[in-house]
Each structure stands twice: as structure tokens, then as C-alpha cells.
Amino acid sequence: MKHLLALLAAAWAASAMTAPPSKPIWQWTTDERLAARFDEAARIRRVEAFEAQRVISHARTVAVPRHPADSIHGSEHPELLMPFEIFTSFTEAAYGADDDVARHVQRDATVQASKLGLPPEFLPTLRKQARAFIAMQREERTLKQQIFTGGMRDPQSGIARLRELQKSECASRATAMRSLRARFGTGFDRFLYSAIAPGVFRDYFEPISAQTLRAEEDGCK
């Protein structure tokens, strides 16, 4: 009996450690988010779901893409996405180009922000605070197009510039996000996780560590 009670206590303790926090996902800490994301059993289930869907999608094709290390879709697991990942996806979609798609994203974000009770100046302020980061995203997109389409005479210099940009983007993004949290409080993170995260997905074909994600969230200091 004592042995059974000990086993039950150990099982309860393990489940308590892995149980998701009982609070809105936009209030999760970085530690809580990473603990859930790097739960190995849950990661395996996500990859298996990805593979099952891929079997259906590629049933009639010959080439089969390589296996992912992880697959996180915000429509199912928004809580596993880091704030910087959601923010990056949003600014890229809304401000990375001047086209109808970007304008549609901006209009939809305006509606969603209003529904969440955010003030009319929320999105204009977001764009202003992130203007340096957005400019770097645009430059990165242009460089990638030039490099991978063969339109650059010296692709090595382009690749070197990409590395510089990615490091600068990390710091610039973190600065913008800190400013937005200072201005709008938890409303900023609630917007990310309620309005944007459900449309974000990240399929990782190379392993990424918790340390790397934490560093990016902190601005790659």
C-alpha cells in the first residue's frame, strides 16, 4: 500500500510539473512556454501529426520532404510560439511589402485590435516602434530574392550581409517589443496570442534549442 501511494505521489508530482499554467497564454513566462514546448512526448505527437497530414498531402507525389524536428501551428498550439516568433510573422505579413495581401492583414489586425479593446493608435504605434526592424526585414527579403534567383553578382557578400541583418533584427525587435509592452501593457501580448498566433505556423527541419529561443526573445544580447 505504501509503495502504491508513493507511486501515485510521484505521478501526481510529475503531472503537476508538466501541467500548463492555469492562466491566459499571453501571460505565460518564457520558462513556462519553453517547458511546454520542449515536452518530448508532446513534441513527438506534433511531429507525428505533421507526418500523418503530409502522407495525405503527398500521396501522389514522388519526392518526400525530410522529417521535421518540430511542427508548431498556432491554430492548435498558440501557447508554444514565442512572442518574438509571432511578432516577426505579423510585421513581415503586414508591413514587409506594399501589396494587397499586406493591406488585408493590416485591416484584419485593426479589427482584431479593436475587438480586444486596444486604442486606435495601437497599430500605428506598433508600426512606428518597429520601423527599424521592419526596414531590416524588407532588406532581408530583397537580399534573399537576389541571392536565390541568381540576381546578385557577389552572393557571398549578400550572405554576409544577411548574417549582419539577422543579428541586428534580433536586437531591434526586442527593443520594439519592450516599448510596446511599456505603452500597452499586457494588451500587446494579448493581441499577439489572440489575434495573430492562430494564423502562425513554424515547421522546424533543424533542431532549435531552448537556449536559442530564449536568446532571441531577449534580443540576442
Side-chain angles (χ1 to χ4, degrees), residues 55-202:
V55 167
I56 297 172
S57 302
H58 294 81
R60 297 184 179 181
T61 63
V62 177
V64 178
R66 55 196 175 127
H67 300 291
D70 202 351
S71 177
I72 301 175
H73 289 215
S75 58
E76 298 177 2
H77 299 290
E79 73 283 358
L80 301 183
L81 292 163
M82 301 297 288
F84 83 85
E85 292 176 306
I86 306 171
F87 187 74
T88 299
S89 293
F90 173 66
T91 53
E92 175 67 24
Y95 309 117
D98 298 312
D99 56 22
D100 290 340
V101 173
R103 284 185 282 273
H104 172 77
V105 172
Q106 292 172 30
R107 286 194 299 269
D108 184 65
T110 300
V111 172
Q112 295 302 320
S114 178
K115 287 181 179 179
L116 292 171
L118 289 162
E121 67 270 19
F122 174 72
L123 283 173
T125 302
L126 185 154
R127 187 172 189 175
K128 181 179 179 181
Q129 292 294 337
R131 61 186 179 277
F133 174 59
I134 293 167
M136 286 184 274
Q137 282 185 303
R138 285 177 169 241
E139 183 181 351
E140 180 182 355
R141 171 186 281 194
T142 300
L143 274 173
K144 285 180 176 178
Q145 288 174 343
Q146 292 173 342
I147 291 169
F148 298 119
T149 59
M152 180 172 284
R153 292 183 179 179
D154 184 7
Q156 291 304 315
S157 66
I159 292 171
R161 175 57 182 158
L162 276 179
R163 293 196 189 99
E164 293 175 4
L165 274 174
Q166 288 163 357
K167 184 175 181 180
S168 298
E169 284 174 18
C170 187
S172 180
R173 176 180 58 214
T175 298
M177 292 176 71
R178 281 194 297 270
S179 296
L180 290 164
R181 286 189 178 109
R183 175 77 180 271
F184 299 105
T186 58
F188 169 65
D189 287 282
R190 188 181 179 192
F191 170 78
L192 291 182
Y193 283 92
S194 299
I196 308 303
V200 176
F201 63 91
R202 294 289 179 106

